[in-house]
């Protein structure tokens, strides 16, 4: 069973300088949602942004320990345009 801090740490290690929030959506430690704001996403389409987040979690996705991860990804510019800061 994983926890939100574990998932958050793995994402931050792969995308340093990012703002990451992770929430366990079911309380079972295998379904999460994450919001990631990262400079690494600048100029990248959403699919590539999501691939960057999934990459450090592949081991747990393959084993099924991490069953689902719903993502909302933004570059800092996209996030700022949304007025979320």
């Amino acid at each position: 069973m994983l926890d939100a801090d574990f998932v958050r740490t793995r994402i931050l290690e792969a995308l340093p300088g990012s703002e990451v929030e992770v929430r366990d959506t079911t309380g079972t430690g295998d379904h999460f949602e994450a919001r990631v704001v990262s400079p690494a996403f600048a100029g990248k389409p959403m699919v590539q942004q999501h691939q960057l987040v999934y990459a450090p979690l592949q081991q747990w996705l393959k084993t099924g320990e991490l069953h689902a991860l719903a993502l909302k990804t933004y570059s800092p510019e996209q996030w700022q345009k949304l007025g979320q800061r």
Side-chain angles (χ1 to χ4, degrees):
M1 185 160 103
L2 306 176
D3 65 23
D5 287 334
F6 175 86
V7 175
R8 181 178 182 276
T9 299
R10 292 295 137 330
I11 295 169
L12 282 170
E13 287 174 352
L15 298 167
S18 299
E19 182 181 319
V20 181
E21 282 186 22
V22 178
R23 186 174 73 88
D24 185 337
T25 59
T26 61
T28 58
D30 63 349
H31 290 73
F32 297 91
E33 68 180 16
R35 178 184 51 82
V36 183
V37 180
S38 178
F41 298 156
K44 291 185 172 50
M46 188 182 301
V47 170
Q48 288 180 346
Q49 294 175 12
H50 287 200
Q51 289 171 337
L52 288 171
V53 176
Y54 284 128
L57 301 167
Q58 285 301 309
Q59 173 183 342
W60 297 277
L61 288 163
K62 286 179 184 176
T63 64
E65 284 181 84
L66 176 54
H67 181 73
L69 178 61
L71 293 177
K72 293 182 182 176
T73 57
Y74 308 93
S75 69
E77 295 79 18
Q78 290 170 323
W79 185 243
Q80 191 172 29
K81 284 181 184 177
L82 289 174
Q84 301 294 326
R85 268 197 163 231

